[in-house]
Amino acid sequence: MSEDCLFCKIISGDIPSNKVYSDEHVYAFHDINPAAPTHILVIPRKHLHNVAASEGEDEALLGKLLLAANKIATQEGLEEDGFRYVINTNDNGGQTVYHLHLHILGGRQMTWPPG
Ligand code: 5GP
Ligand code: ZN
């Protein structure tokens, strides 16, 4: 837990969220400002600044994050039509909250390249 971290406060329940999935290592909730019909954030319970700051000891956790995201994408009915995972990293990557999070975006056609 990092004292000033918004997503740590969401995990602890100090800030309310619309929960989608929860297990021992991972928590997921709806994005407050959805960029697609389905927009879910999947986060590790452990505070990690971002994916670039993760290390060897986080290898299993990163795997759990992706596998949890797969479960959620299936649960939300996104698998057949498709969806997008996004991990914004640092300033140029568009990261605004510095607790590692994976966006699940679905329910519409995505475009490439991203903005
Ligand atoms: P980033 O830009 O860091 O990749 O994504 C941060 C995401 O967190 C944004 O999509 C933003 O809408 C979302 N967000 C920011 N504050 C809150 C909040 O208090 N609750 C929820 N549910 N989402 C938030
Ligand atoms: Zn945090």
Side-chain angles (χ1 to χ4, degrees):
M1 167 107 186
S2 173
E3 296 280 317
D4 296 326
C5 173
L6 175 67
F7 287 175
C8 282
K9 288 180 184 156
I10 282 182
I11 290 167
S12 68
D14 291 342
I15 292 176
S17 65
N18 193 348
K19 180 175 89 173
V20 174
Y21 175 88
S22 175
D23 68 26
E24 192 187 343
H25 299 286
V26 175
Y27 185 78
F29 54 102
H30 287 283
D31 197 291
I32 204 167
N33 184 22
T38 302
H39 188 172
I40 292 164
L41 301 174
V42 189
I43 65 178
R45 289 185 178 274
K46 175 183 175 183
H47 178 87
L48 288 171
H49 199 62
N50 59 29
V51 75
S54 60
E55 297 180 330
E57 67 180 37
D58 303 312
E59 185 176 357
L61 182 57
L62 295 175
K64 288 176 199 297
L65 197 75
L66 269 177
L67 292 177
N70 285 350
K71 264 191 216 169
I72 295 161
T74 300
Q75 184 181 296
E76 296 290 317
L78 299 176
E79 200 179 336
E80 193 179 335
D81 285 348
F83 55 87
R84 182 170 290 176
Y85 290 155
V86 174
I87 303 180
N88 296 325
T89 304
N90 284 332
D91 199 23
N92 273 1
Q95 185 173 9
T96 59
V97 178
Y98 282 84
H99 179 130
L100 170 60
H101 51 282
L102 179 142
H103 297 255
I104 304 176
L105 297 154
R108 67 168 168 83
Q109 180 65 56
M110 299 296 153
T111 58
W112 193 264

